[in-house]
Structure formats: structure tokens, C-alpha cells
Amino acid sequence: QITLKESGPTVVQPTQTLTLTCTFSGFSLSTTGVGVGWIRQPPGKALEWLAIIYWDDDKRYSPSLKGRLTITKDTSKNQVVLLMTNVDPMDTATYYCVHKGPRPQNWFDPWGQGSLVTVSA
Amino acid sequence: SYDLTQPPSLSVSPGQTATITCSGDQLGDKFISWYQQKAGQSPVVVIYLDNKRPSGVPDRFSGSNSGTTATLTISGTQAMDEAHYYCQAWDSATVVFGGGTKLTVL
């Protein structure tokens, strides 16, 4: 059974860097084709994809946020970390960690429970 | 950037068919996934690869994709199907979500 869980601060001050950790089980991020991604959802709004990292350390970012995001993995700890610099109240959202399996899987399943982050002074 | 367009809302009566559309340029050339998100919960995939249904998803859920429009169809809609539905595609190795459709069953 695959599970993912997000962890990180619940409140971050504007201009700071947000660090979110995804801790997963039930799969290995060293398996060919596997990826772990991040998706966020502002309160009452739509889903927004942020980034994904693959088993071979290939990384992809949302074009609209690319300069502010860094995604890394620690395969031995079964963790993926997302850094978001210079946060703004508009970054207030629930942040989800997701699993993507090897091809042909191009969908995200499962999702973590989500972590609500509020950006406020 | 690539955009996916969904109607913001749709209302159906129990037992009716709900049809949720997702439009994008040459969308039929891509594979579409659909996610269901009930209030206060994380999204769950209900359709992948345009028309495949994960185990555990009722067969009243079906999908199609052709031309510029992908469609999620829920036949015999039940009250438990009330949720937000999001389509998702890949474009140039990045991910795009539609704006979501709130399905109300009343």
C-alpha cells in the first residue's frame, strides 16, 4: 500500500522560504519511472501543479513558479523536499504530495492528506 | 502555456447523467485523467488514460477524449457523486489541471 504524508510549517511569514517534506512508503523512488510531485490548492480554488522529481533525479517545475521552487529527494529516507522562496500571502494553500508510477502511468495516485500553509505576518 | 477549460458548475438530479467537459488545444492528442475531490478530502483519480477506470470506481463513471474536448460522464448520478471534478493533462513534461467543475446533485 502506497502512502504519502506532507509535513512542514502551518504559518510562514512573507518573504521567507517555505520548506515542505513528503515522507512516503510502499514504493521506492529509485525504481525506474517513478516520480513524486507537489500540487497545491488555495482555499476554495483549483488545483495547481508545482513540481515533480523522478527516480533518475530529473526535475520539472511549473513554468509560472520555476524560479522560486526547488525539489530534491533523499531516497534512503523515502523523502522528497520542496522549497519555495520569497513566499507571499497568495501562496496560502493546502500542499499535496503525490505519487506517479512508471509508464504507462501518467496520473497521480495516491495523494497525501495535504498540509495547509498560511502565509501571514 | 497550455490551458484546460472546464465549466465551473453543473447541477443534475439523482439518476440523471452528468457530463463534464474539459477543453484544450488538440486535447485528443494527449491522455487525460479525471480526479474527484469531495469536500475536505484529497483528490482521487476516477478516470485515467482517457477512459480507464481504477478498481473500486463505479462503472457509472466513464471517459472519452477526442478533438479538443475530453468528457467525464457519470450515468445514474448519485448523491455521493457530489464533488469537484478536475481534468489533468501533460504538456511538454509539465502538468496542467483544469479549473474544476463543481457537480451538485439535487
Side-chain angles (χ1 to χ4, degrees), chain A residues 3-34:
Chain A
T3 64
L4 309 101
K5 187 172 183 179
E6 307 84 355
S7 59
T10 56
V11 179
V12 183
Q13 292 191 341
T15 75
Q16 287 192 333
T17 295
L18 168 64
T19 301
L20 291 167
T21 301
C22 174
T23 303
F24 57 85
S25 64
F27 69 96
S28 173
L29 198 39
S30 60
T31 300
T32 300
V34 172

mmCIF file of all heavy atoms in Angstrom, chain A residues 3-34:
data_model
loop_
_atom_site.group_PDB
_atom_site.id
_atom_site.type_symbol
_atom_site.label_atom_id
_atom_site.label_comp_id
_atom_site.label_asym_id
_atom_site.label_seq_id
_atom_site.Cartn_x
_atom_site.Cartn_y
_atom_site.Cartn_z
ATOM 1 N N THR A 3 1.559 5.115 0.620
ATOM 2 C CA THR A 3 1.074 6.267 1.379
ATOM 3 C C THR A 3 2.091 7.385 1.291
ATOM 4 O O THR A 3 3.292 7.144 1.142
ATOM 5 C CB THR A 3 0.815 5.927 2.861
ATOM 6 O OG1 THR A 3 2.054 5.577 3.474
ATOM 7 C CG2 THR A 3 -0.179 4.779 3.010
ATOM 8 N N LEU A 4 1.587 8.606 1.376
ATOM 9 C CA LEU A 4 2.422 9.794 1.381
ATOM 10 C C LEU A 4 1.881 10.747 2.432
ATOM 11 O O LEU A 4 0.664 10.857 2.607
ATOM 12 C CB LEU A 4 2.426 10.498 0.021
ATOM 13 C CG LEU A 4 2.725 9.641 -1.199
ATOM 14 C CD1 LEU A 4 1.427 9.292 -1.923
ATOM 15 C CD2 LEU A 4 3.674 10.347 -2.146
ATOM 16 N N LYS A 5 2.777 11.442 3.107
ATOM 17 C CA LYS A 5 2.359 12.391 4.130
ATOM 18 C C LYS A 5 3.216 13.636 4.067
ATOM 19 O O LYS A 5 4.456 13.542 4.064
ATOM 20 C CB LYS A 5 2.422 11.779 5.519
ATOM 21 C CG LYS A 5 1.825 12.686 6.600
ATOM 22 C CD LYS A 5 1.726 11.980 7.936
ATOM 23 C CE LYS A 5 1.057 12.873 8.967
ATOM 24 N NZ LYS A 5 0.932 12.202 10.282
ATOM 25 N N GLU A 6 2.556 14.773 4.030
ATOM 26 C CA GLU A 6 3.241 16.052 3.978
ATOM 27 C C GLU A 6 3.487 16.583 5.388
ATOM 28 O O GLU A 6 2.674 16.379 6.287
ATOM 29 C CB GLU A 6 2.403 17.073 3.207
ATOM 30 C CG GLU A 6 1.947 16.643 1.836
ATOM 31 C CD GLU A 6 0.663 15.814 1.852
ATOM 32 O OE1 GLU A 6 0.164 15.482 2.962
ATOM 33 O OE2 GLU A 6 0.130 15.490 0.776
ATOM 34 N N SER A 7 4.588 17.272 5.541
ATOM 35 C CA SER A 7 4.870 17.922 6.818
ATOM 36 C C SER A 7 5.592 19.236 6.562
ATOM 37 O O SER A 7 6.298 19.393 5.558
ATOM 38 C CB SER A 7 5.706 17.025 7.734
ATOM 39 O OG SER A 7 6.936 16.692 7.128
ATOM 40 N N GLY A 8 5.405 20.162 7.492
ATOM 41 C CA GLY A 8 6.021 21.464 7.362
ATOM 42 C C GLY A 8 5.318 22.465 8.239
ATOM 43 O O GLY A 8 4.404 22.101 8.997
ATOM 44 N N PRO A 9 5.704 23.723 8.154
ATOM 45 C CA PRO A 9 5.087 24.746 8.997
ATOM 46 C C PRO A 9 3.647 25.011 8.594
ATOM 47 O O PRO A 9 3.282 24.861 7.428
ATOM 48 C CB PRO A 9 5.972 25.972 8.745
ATOM 49 C CG PRO A 9 6.490 25.774 7.362
ATOM 50 C CD PRO A 9 6.693 24.292 7.222
ATOM 51 N N THR A 10 2.859 25.425 9.563
ATOM 52 C CA THR A 10 1.477 25.792 9.256
ATOM 53 C C THR A 10 1.380 27.277 8.917
ATOM 54 O O THR A 10 0.468 27.687 8.202
ATOM 55 C CB THR A 10 0.555 25.476 10.437
ATOM 56 O OG1 THR A 10 1.053 26.148 11.604
ATOM 57 C CG2 THR A 10 0.489 23.986 10.694
ATOM 58 N N VAL A 11 2.325 28.069 9.467
ATOM 59 C CA VAL A 11 2.354 29.509 9.197
ATOM 60 C C VAL A 11 3.763 29.914 8.794
ATOM 61 O O VAL A 11 4.742 29.486 9.426
ATOM 62 C CB VAL A 11 1.907 30.323 10.425
ATOM 63 C CG1 VAL A 11 1.964 31.822 10.114
ATOM 64 C CG2 VAL A 11 0.508 29.921 10.867
ATOM 65 N N VAL A 12 3.845 30.714 7.752
ATOM 66 C CA VAL A 12 5.131 31.232 7.264
ATOM 67 C C VAL A 12 4.971 32.730 7.046
ATOM 68 O O VAL A 12 3.914 33.181 6.567
ATOM 69 C CB VAL A 12 5.550 30.548 5.946
ATOM 70 C CG1 VAL A 12 6.920 31.042 5.499
ATOM 71 C CG2 VAL A 12 5.566 29.034 6.116
ATOM 72 N N GLN A 13 6.013 33.465 7.371
ATOM 73 C CA GLN A 13 5.951 34.911 7.170
ATOM 74 C C GLN A 13 6.289 35.266 5.722
ATOM 75 O O GLN A 13 7.084 34.573 5.067
ATOM 76 C CB GLN A 13 6.929 35.613 8.123
ATOM 77 C CG GLN A 13 6.530 35.505 9.590
ATOM 78 C CD GLN A 13 7.357 36.425 10.466
ATOM 79 O OE1 GLN A 13 8.432 36.880 10.074
ATOM 80 N NE2 GLN A 13 6.877 36.698 11.664
ATOM 81 N N PRO A 14 5.690 36.329 5.223
ATOM 82 C CA PRO A 14 6.013 36.785 3.852
ATOM 83 C C PRO A 14 7.505 37.018 3.683
ATOM 84 O O PRO A 14 8.192 37.456 4.616
ATOM 85 C CB PRO A 14 5.222 38.088 3.733
ATOM 86 C CG PRO A 14 4.071 37.925 4.667
ATOM 87 C CD PRO A 14 4.625 37.146 5.835
ATOM 88 N N THR A 15 7.990 36.706 2.509
ATOM 89 C CA THR A 15 9.379 36.795 2.042
ATOM 90 C C THR A 15 10.248 35.631 2.530
ATOM 91 O O THR A 15 11.356 35.455 2.025
ATOM 92 C CB THR A 15 10.081 38.123 2.434
ATOM 93 O OG1 THR A 15 10.422 38.104 3.821
ATOM 94 C CG2 THR A 15 9.230 39.311 2.096
ATOM 95 N N GLN A 16 9.745 34.827 3.467
ATOM 96 C CA GLN A 16 10.549 33.691 3.931
ATOM 97 C C GLN A 16 10.516 32.547 2.923
ATOM 98 O O GLN A 16 9.769 32.575 1.934
ATOM 99 C CB GLN A 16 10.040 33.203 5.287
ATOM 100 C CG GLN A 16 10.377 34.154 6.436
ATOM 101 C CD GLN A 16 10.109 33.509 7.799
ATOM 102 O OE1 GLN A 16 9.265 32.634 7.927
ATOM 103 N NE2 GLN A 16 10.833 33.971 8.811
ATOM 104 N N THR A 17 11.323 31.528 3.219
ATOM 105 C CA THR A 17 11.354 30.319 2.398
ATOM 106 C C THR A 17 10.544 29.222 3.082
ATOM 107 O O THR A 17 10.746 28.935 4.265
ATOM 108 C CB THR A 17 12.793 29.834 2.175
ATOM 109 O OG1 THR A 17 13.506 30.813 1.403
ATOM 110 C CG2 THR A 17 12.816 28.496 1.440
ATOM 111 N N LEU A 18 9.646 28.624 2.319
ATOM 112 C CA LEU A 18 8.809 27.535 2.808
ATOM 113 C C LEU A 18 9.488 26.202 2.491
ATOM 114 O O LEU A 18 9.907 25.976 1.342
ATOM 115 C CB LEU A 18 7.431 27.580 2.141
ATOM 116 C CG LEU A 18 6.517 26.372 2.318
ATOM 117 C CD1 LEU A 18 6.135 26.193 3.779
ATOM 118 C CD2 LEU A 18 5.271 26.543 1.446
ATOM 119 N N THR A 19 9.596 25.354 3.498
ATOM 120 C CA THR A 19 10.163 24.016 3.307
ATOM 121 C C THR A 19 9.109 22.975 3.648
ATOM 122 O O THR A 19 8.614 22.928 4.773
ATOM 123 C CB THR A 19 11.398 23.796 4.200
ATOM 124 O OG1 THR A 19 12.389 24.779 3.897
ATOM 125 C CG2 THR A 19 11.974 22.400 3.965
ATOM 126 N N LEU A 20 8.768 22.169 2.661
ATOM 127 C CA LEU A 20 7.785 21.098 2.845
ATOM 128 C C LEU A 20 8.449 19.753 2.592
ATOM 129 O O LEU A 20 9.222 19.608 1.643
ATOM 130 C CB LEU A 20 6.611 21.269 1.891
ATOM 131 C CG LEU A 20 5.687 22.459 2.166
ATOM 132 C CD1 LEU A 20 4.769 22.688 0.987
ATOM 133 C CD2 LEU A 20 4.882 22.227 3.430
ATOM 134 N N THR A 21 8.115 18.782 3.437
ATOM 135 C CA THR A 21 8.679 17.441 3.310
ATOM 136 C C THR A 21 7.571 16.442 3.056
ATOM 137 O O THR A 21 6.525 16.485 3.709
ATOM 138 C CB THR A 21 9.447 17.045 4.576
ATOM 139 O OG1 THR A 21 10.497 17.982 4.810
ATOM 140 C CG2 THR A 21 10.030 15.638 4.441
ATOM 141 N N CYS A 22 7.790 15.572 2.088
ATOM 142 C CA CYS A 22 6.888 14.461 1.807
ATOM 143 C C CYS A 22 7.586 13.173 2.222
ATOM 144 O O CYS A 22 8.666 12.861 1.697
ATOM 145 C CB CYS A 22 6.549 14.425 0.323
ATOM 146 S SG CYS A 22 5.574 12.989 -0.191
ATOM 147 N N THR A 23 7.000 12.464 3.142
ATOM 148 C CA THR A 23 7.531 11.178 3.578
ATOM 149 C C THR A 23 6.601 10.094 3.079
ATOM 150 O O THR A 23 5.387 10.148 3.333
ATOM 151 C CB THR A 23 7.648 11.129 5.108
ATOM 152 O OG1 THR A 23 8.472 12.215 5.551
ATOM 153 C CG2 THR A 23 8.266 9.805 5.551
ATOM 154 N N PHE A 24 7.165 9.137 2.347
ATOM 155 C CA PHE A 24 6.312 8.144 1.700
ATOM 156 C C PHE A 24 6.732 6.723 2.052
ATOM 157 O O PHE A 24 7.834 6.485 2.567
ATOM 158 C CB PHE A 24 6.317 8.344 0.178
ATOM 159 C CG PHE A 24 7.684 8.301 -0.450
ATOM 160 C CD1 PHE A 24 8.271 7.099 -0.804
ATOM 161 C CD2 PHE A 24 8.378 9.478 -0.698
ATOM 162 C CE1 PHE A 24 9.525 7.058 -1.388
ATOM 163 C CE2 PHE A 24 9.637 9.454 -1.289
ATOM 164 C CZ PHE A 24 10.217 8.234 -1.627
ATOM 165 N N SER A 25 5.817 5.815 1.771
ATOM 166 C CA SER A 25 6.091 4.387 1.986
ATOM 167 C C SER A 25 5.338 3.584 0.954
ATOM 168 O O SER A 25 4.402 4.079 0.323
ATOM 169 C CB SER A 25 5.683 3.976 3.402
ATOM 170 O OG SER A 25 4.294 4.109 3.576
ATOM 171 N N GLY A 26 5.770 2.348 0.767
ATOM 172 C CA GLY A 26 5.088 1.460 -0.164
ATOM 173 C C GLY A 26 5.679 1.451 -1.562
ATOM 174 O O GLY A 26 5.197 0.699 -2.419
ATOM 175 N N PHE A 27 6.681 2.280 -1.810
ATOM 176 C CA PHE A 27 7.376 2.277 -3.098
ATOM 177 C C PHE A 27 8.756 2.882 -2.890
ATOM 178 O O PHE A 27 9.044 3.467 -1.855
ATOM 179 C CB PHE A 27 6.599 3.043 -4.170
ATOM 180 C CG PHE A 27 6.548 4.544 -3.938
ATOM 181 C CD1 PHE A 27 7.445 5.390 -4.566
ATOM 182 C CD2 PHE A 27 5.580 5.088 -3.108
ATOM 183 C CE1 PHE A 27 7.388 6.764 -4.366
ATOM 184 C CE2 PHE A 27 5.513 6.455 -2.890
ATOM 185 C CZ PHE A 27 6.424 7.304 -3.516
ATOM 186 N N SER A 28 9.596 2.718 -3.913
ATOM 187 C CA SER A 28 10.941 3.272 -3.860
ATOM 188 C C SER A 28 11.121 4.304 -4.968
ATOM 189 O O SER A 28 10.734 4.071 -6.121
ATOM 190 C CB SER A 28 11.985 2.165 -4.027
ATOM 191 O OG SER A 28 13.286 2.728 -4.141
ATOM 192 N N LEU A 29 11.727 5.419 -4.617
ATOM 193 C CA LEU A 29 11.996 6.456 -5.602
ATOM 194 C C LEU A 29 13.273 6.150 -6.379
ATOM 195 O O LEU A 29 13.766 6.983 -7.134
ATOM 196 C CB LEU A 29 12.081 7.831 -4.922
ATOM 197 C CG LEU A 29 11.935 9.093 -5.782
ATOM 198 C CD1 LEU A 29 10.876 8.928 -6.852
ATOM 199 C CD2 LEU A 29 11.655 10.283 -4.923
ATOM 200 N N SER A 30 13.785 4.957 -6.242
ATOM 201 C CA SER A 30 14.891 4.507 -7.080
ATOM 202 C C SER A 30 14.404 3.539 -8.157
ATOM 203 O O SER A 30 15.194 3.073 -8.977
ATOM 204 C CB SER A 30 15.977 3.824 -6.231
ATOM 205 O OG SER A 30 15.451 2.703 -5.568
ATOM 206 N N THR A 31 13.114 3.252 -8.180
ATOM 207 C CA THR A 31 12.527 2.378 -9.196
ATOM 208 C C THR A 31 12.323 3.143 -10.491
ATOM 209 O O THR A 31 11.770 4.255 -10.483
ATOM 210 C CB THR A 31 11.180 1.813 -8.718
ATOM 211 O OG1 THR A 31 11.388 1.052 -7.523
ATOM 212 C CG2 THR A 31 10.537 0.944 -9.788
ATOM 213 N N THR A 32 12.750 2.569 -11.583
ATOM 214 C CA THR A 32 12.658 3.233 -12.885
ATOM 215 C C THR A 32 11.243 3.712 -13.180
ATOM 216 O O THR A 32 10.276 2.966 -13.067
ATOM 217 C CB THR A 32 13.117 2.270 -13.993
ATOM 218 O OG1 THR A 32 14.481 1.894 -13.749
ATOM 219 C CG2 THR A 32 13.017 2.930 -15.359
ATOM 220 N N GLY A 33 11.167 4.991 -13.549
ATOM 221 C CA GLY A 33 9.895 5.567 -13.964
ATOM 222 C C GLY A 33 9.064 6.202 -12.871
ATOM 223 O O GLY A 33 8.085 6.898 -13.162
ATOM 224 N N VAL A 34 9.446 5.999 -11.630
ATOM 225 C CA VAL A 34 8.649 6.523 -10.517
ATOM 226 C C VAL A 34 8.951 8.003 -10.281
ATOM 227 O O VAL A 34 10.076 8.460 -10.433
ATOM 228 C CB VAL A 34 8.916 5.714 -9.239
ATOM 229 C CG1 VAL A 34 8.251 6.372 -8.025
ATOM 230 C CG2 VAL A 34 8.404 4.294 -9.401
#
